[in-house]
Amino acid sequence: MDKQAAADAKASEAESAVALVTSDVKEPGPPAEVQAAGGDWPQWGGTRERNNAPGVEGLPESWNIGKFDRRTGDWDNAKAENIRWYANLGSQTYGNPVVADGQVYVGTNNGAGHIQRYPSDVDLGCLLAFDEKNGDFLWQHSSEKLITGRVHDWPLQGICCAPLVEGDRLWFVTNRGEVRCLDTKGFHDGEDDGPVVGESANVAQIMNAGPGAEPHAQTLSELADGSLSNAAKSVLAEAGEALQGEAKVETVTEGKVWKATGNFGGTDRTITIKQIGPRIMFTKALGVSDKRDADVIWVFDMMGPEMGVSQHNMCACSVTSYGDLLFVNTSNGLDESHLNLPAPEAPSFICIDKNTGELLWSDASPGRNILHGQWSSPAIGVFEGVPQVLFAGGDGILYSFAATRGNDGKPELLWQFDCNPKTTVWKLGGEGTRNNLIATPVAYDGLVYIAVGQDPEHGEGEGHLWCIDPNKRGDVSPTLAMKLEDGKRVPIAHRRVQAVEPENGEVEVDNPNSAVVWHYSMFDSNGDEEIDFEEEMHRSIGTCAIKDNVLYIADFSGLVHCLDAKGTDDGKPIVHFTYDMLAQSWGSALIADGRVFIGDEDGDVSVFEFGAENNEPMEEINMGSSVYSTPVGANKTIYISTKDKLFAIGLPE
C-alpha cells in the first residue's frame, strides 16, 4: 500500500469512528459525501471542512429579482426571472443561509418584525427559519440586546453567524454570547423539548415616564386590587396577547410580582407581571401554542460566571462538530478602548458535548495577545488519519487541536502557525500591517488554507493567503522571532503589537519546521517588475472555495483572486488571474455547477464560468441591496441573503 493509499485508509477509519462517538444526534454523513450529493447544505461551508463547493447541479446562470417599491416593499415581478421566492429579513444581514431537511435558516436583525410582541423597531438578534419550498416563515429565535451596549453587542448587527443543523437539532451562537441548541421543528411538532421548557419571554412593558406615567400608576393600583388596567390590556393586545374575557390576578410578592391567568391571544396561559425599576414587565412562558417562536433545548452562556468571556462588539462564530463534539470560538476580545483586555484568562476556544451542552475543554492560547476581537469560525479536517480542529486565534495565529474530548478539561495542541510576518505592526484603526484572522480556515485535499484580515471598519490593507501542511507538529510558522544573547540566538516569546523589533537587535529567521506549502501576498502577473493594485492580496474576511485544485477568494478591496491550490514545488503561488469587482467584498465564493458566484457591497453578484482561464464574469447581476453574505447552493437552488431579503433562485420546476 503506497503512502497516499495508507493516508486515505486512515482518514476513512477516522470518519467511520465519528459514528461510534455520536449518540443522540446523527450527522448528515462524511464531508465528501455531503459535498458531492448536491443536496442539503447544513452549515457554513456545507461541511466541517468549510469548502463552499457543493456538487449541486441544475442551477441558473442568470436571474432577475424584479423591482421592489422602496416605500411599500411591494414586489413587481413582471420582469423577474428564475426567482422561486423571496422572504423579508432584517435591515442588516450578515448571516449565510443554511439549508437542511426542508428548511432554510438565516441570521439577521429584527427589521422584518416577524413576531408581534417584537415590532420591527425593537433591536434584536434573530435566527429565522423558512420553508424551503415556498419561503413561508416558520419560526424565529429572538435574542434581546445586552444592556452593556455596543462594546459587547453592536446595534443592528443581529445574528452574524450561520447555524449547524444535524437531524432535528440546530446549534448557533447568539449576540448575547450564548451557544444554543434548538429543535428545528420549533413548536410545530406540538412538543416543548427540554431540558429548557417553558422558557420565559418578554411580552410588553409600561414605563413610568412621560405619557406612560399615569398608566403605570393606574396599572399598579389595579393590580393591587386584583385586576388588569385598560393600559395593561392594551399593551398586551398590541403584543398579540389580547385578553379574551376576564383574567384572574394573584399577588405573588406584594407590590412587586403578580400572575394573571386567562385566555391571552387565544391561548389559556399565565402572564407574569413584575415591577422592575421604572417599568412594569409582562412575560409569558413559551410553549406549543407559540408557533412563531423557537423551541430551545439547552443554553450555554459563555459570558456567564463559568467562562467569563467578554466578547468584542459581537459573537460571530459559526459552530461545527465532530461526532458528539461541538467546537466554538468565544469571540473574547478588547473593551471599548481597544487597548484593554477585560478577560485575558477567559477561553477563546471551547469544546462542548453537543447533546447536553456540557463543557468538555477550553483553551485561552491567544491570552493577552488578542489584537481586537475573535470572529472566525472553526474547521475540521482529518489529516493522515488524525482529526484536527482548526481555530483562528485573535493573535493572528492559526491553532490546530486534536478533535477529541481532551484530558482534564484541556485539549491537545498539535501545531500553531503565525499568519503574520514577525516584523508587522498592529496599530489602532487598521493603520498597521499586522492582521487578524476573520476568515474561516478550509481543509482541502490534505492541506489547510486561510487568509488574514481585519474588521471592515479598519479599511483596506496588505494581506496574506497561506497554504499550510497540517501534518507537522509544534511551531510550524514560516519564521521564528530571535534575539542574540551571549552570542547565541534565543527565541522571543510572542508579542501582541510586534513580534520582532529590528531596531532592538531582534531578527526574523526562517523556521526549519515551517509548514508553508505556499504563500501569496503579491505577484507580478504582467512581468513589468512593478506590483500593481490588482497584483496584491489585500486584507480579506472571505474564505477560500476550491474545486479541482482551482482556488477562488475575494479580498476586502473587491479583488477576486484565482490561484492554483497546490502552488509550485518551491513554495511559490500560481496566480491564474485577479478581477476587480470595483466594490468591497465581505463574503466568499460559491463554486457550483460549473460556475463561480461572488457578491459585493454594491449588491452585484459576479458569475464566472469555472476555470483558471475564465478571468471575466459571464454576468453581473444586481440584487437590489448589499450582499454581505456568501451565496449557497443546495437542491438545485442558489440562496442569497442580501442586506434585507433572502432569495431562492432556481430554474422553473
Side-chain angles (χ1 to χ4, degrees):
M1 183 180 293
D2 62 26
K3 183 177 179 181
Q4 184 58 51
D8 290 344
K10 285 186 179 180
S12 178
E13 289 175 6
E15 293 296 351
S16 299
V18 177
L20 299 178
V21 297
T22 302
S23 54
D24 297 345
V25 183
K26 301 303 181 187
E27 295 185 306
E33 291 182 10
V34 174
Q35 190 166 42
D40 287 352
W41 208 235
Q43 61 180 299
W44 161 226
T47 76
R48 53 179 166 262
E49 293 179 344
R50 305 299 204 179
N51 186 17
N52 195 35
V56 61
E57 298 178 343
L59 301 179
E61 64 181 46
S62 66
W63 61 88
N64 188 320
I65 68 165
K67 291 184 177 180
F68 290 87
D69 188 293
R70 292 188 177 182
R71 183 176 60 86
T72 65
D74 292 341
W75 185 33
D76 178 0
N77 62 357
K79 295 184 178 180
E81 179 185 5
N82 292 329
I83 303 299
R84 291 203 175 131
W85 53 261
Y86 81 91
N88 287 319
L89 304 178
S91 60
Q92 294 186 40
T93 302
Y94 302 96
N96 296 311
V98 159
V99 185
D101 195 23
Q103 297 183 184
V104 185
Y105 308 90
V106 182
T108 183
N109 68 20
N110 191 45
H114 284 291
I115 293 182
Q116 192 171 347
R117 63 189 171 92
Y118 287 127
S120 60
D121 59 353
V122 176
D123 193 8
L124 301 170
C126 297
L127 179 69
L128 307 181
F130 300 97
D131 189 299
E132 183 182 358
K133 292 181 180 178
N134 52 29
D136 285 352
F137 173 85
L138 297 175
W139 52 257
Q140 169 178 305
H141 183 280
S142 309
S143 298
E144 296 192 357
K145 304 294 283 185
L146 291 168
I147 60 173
T148 48
R150 63 182 58 207
V151 63
H152 290 142
D153 197 356
W154 198 268
L156 298 177
Q157 300 303 286
I159 300 296
C160 296
C161 70
L164 162 70
V165 181
E166 294 176 1
D168 61 359
R169 293 293 181 261
L170 175 153
W171 300 264
F172 77 114
V173 297
T174 72
N175 51 289
R176 299 178 64 87
E178 303 162 322
V179 184
R180 290 199 167 217
C181 176
L182 311 182
D183 177 359
T184 60
K185 302 307 178 187
F187 293 117
H188 293 274
D189 60 4
E191 297 178 358
D192 184 2
D193 297 273
V196 174
V197 293
E199 184 180 21
S200 179
N202 290 332
V203 176
Q205 65 178 5
I206 299 176
M207 287 291 294
N208 184 16
E214 184 175 344
H216 182 276
Q218 185 64 33
T219 298
L220 288 180
S221 175
E222 295 197 29
L223 285 170
D225 291 337
S227 62
L228 287 177
S229 68
N230 288 333
K233 294 175 183 177
S234 178
V235 296
L236 286 169
E238 289 175 4
E241 301 293 346
L243 175 62
Q244 307 296 320
E246 296 298 321
K248 179 183 177 181
V249 177
E250 300 174 271
T251 299
V252 178
T253 303
E254 188 171 350
K256 293 185 178 295
V257 183
W258 302 263
K259 290 188 179 293
T261 303
N263 188 288
F264 294 93
T267 298
D268 291 334
R269 69 165 79 242
T270 296
I271 300 291
T272 299
I273 307 165
K274 294 183 179 181
Q275 165 64 24
I276 304 174
R279 58 173 63 91
I280 300 171
M281 293 294 303
F282 300 81
T283 65
K284 66 179 180 179
L286 294 178
V288 297
S289 61
D290 299 296
K291 305 298 185 189
R292 298 176 74 83
D293 284 280
D295 181 5
V296 177
I297 308 297
W298 56 255
V299 181
F300 182 86
D301 186 1
M302 296 186 290
M303 297 188 74
E306 181 181 4
M307 297 269 289
V309 167
S310 179
Q311 63 194 43
H312 183 80
N313 292 162
M314 65 188 68
C315 195
C317 170
S318 298
V319 302
T320 193
S321 72
Y322 188 79
D324 281 343
L325 310 178
L326 187 73
F327 297 98
V328 188
N329 181 336
T330 69
S331 297
N332 193 45
L334 304 183
D335 64 11
E336 62 269 32
S337 72
H338 290 84
L339 296 171
N340 180 54
L341 184 65
E345 306 302 321
S348 291
F349 192 50
I350 61 174
C351 176
I352 298 175
D353 186 304
K354 73 181 182 187
N355 301 302
T356 65
E358 174 194 2
L359 178 65
L360 299 176
W361 55 254
S362 64
D363 183 82
S365 289
R368 294 186 176 275
N369 291 321
I370 294 172
L371 297 169
H372 191 195
Q374 300 187 100
W375 304 295
S376 181
S377 301
I380 299 172
V382 177
F383 305 109
E384 294 189 351
V386 179
Q388 302 184 27
V389 58
L390 306 167
F391 162 58
D395 51 1
I397 294 176
L398 182 64
Y399 297 87
S400 172
F401 298 99
T404 66
R405 299 178 75 87
N407 186 20
D408 293 329
K410 297 295 181 183
E412 179 189 357
L413 176 64
L414 300 176
W415 53 263
Q416 62 186 62
F417 184 98
D418 189 351
C419 296
N420 285 296
K422 299 295 187 183
T423 55
T424 55
V425 182
W426 174 261
K427 292 184 180 180
L428 291 179
E431 296 181 359
T433 51
R434 182 170 290 270
N435 289 302
N436 302 108
L437 295 172
I438 300 179
T440 304
V442 168
Y444 172 81
D445 197 21
L447 299 172
V448 173
Y449 301 81
I450 193 167
V452 302
Q454 288 195 32
D455 182 334
E457 288 192 349
H458 290 184
E460 302 171 17
E462 70 175 48
H464 301 272
L465 174 62
W466 299 97
C467 175
I468 302 166
D469 178 358
N471 297 308
K472 297 195 173 211
R473 296 294 182 264
D475 187 342
V476 300
S477 304
T479 58
L480 301 173
M482 296 284 189
K483 64 179 179 180
L484 280 177
E485 284 187 0
D486 299 327
K488 296 180 179 180
R489 284 180 174 174
V490 178
I492 304 171
H494 186 72
R495 289 192 298 251
R496 175 178 177 269
V497 173
Q498 188 175 16
V500 165
E501 300 172 351
E503 65 274 17
N504 292 327
E506 298 171 355
V507 294
E508 180 177 19
V509 300
D510 290 341
N511 182 3
N513 192 41
S514 169
V516 175
V517 177
W518 56 260
H519 164 234
Y520 171 51
S521 62
M522 57 186 67
F523 188 80
D524 184 14
S525 298
N526 58 17
D528 65 357
E529 299 185 357
E530 295 182 359
I531 299 299
D532 302 321
F533 175 81
E534 295 83 2
E535 296 174 324
E536 293 180 277
M537 179 71 197
H538 304 93
R539 292 173 183 160
S540 177
I541 54 179
T543 295
C544 299
I546 312 169
K547 183 177 177 61
D548 297 336
N549 291 334
V550 181
L551 179 155
Y552 293 84
I553 186 171
D555 67 28
F556 191 63
S557 297
L559 292 183
V560 177
H561 302 261
C562 178
L563 297 92
D564 186 298
K566 300 298 183 179
T568 67
D569 291 338
D570 58 354
K572 298 291 192 300
I574 299 174
V575 181
H576 297 310
F577 68 84
T578 61
Y579 175 80
D580 192 350
M581 295 189 291
L582 303 177
Q584 291 179 334
S585 179
W586 294 50
S588 307
L590 162 67
I591 302 175
D593 200 19
R595 290 180 288 280
V596 182
F597 308 84
I598 308 177
D600 65 34
E601 194 172 29
D602 282 353
D604 291 325
V605 174
S606 296
V607 183
F608 295 82
E609 184 177 357
F610 174 78
E613 67 282 0
N614 301 310
N615 59 4
E616 295 280 343
M618 307 160 57
E619 297 268 357
E620 290 182 338
I621 303 168
N622 192 265
M623 300 299 298
S625 64
S626 299
V627 178
Y628 293 119
S629 64
T630 296
V632 167
N635 299 316
K636 298 184 178 180
T637 308
I638 304 170
Y639 294 93
I640 300 177
S641 53
T642 69
K643 190 175 181 180
D644 58 358
K645 292 179 178 62
L646 170 65
F647 291 92
I649 302 163
L651 297 171
E653 293 180 315

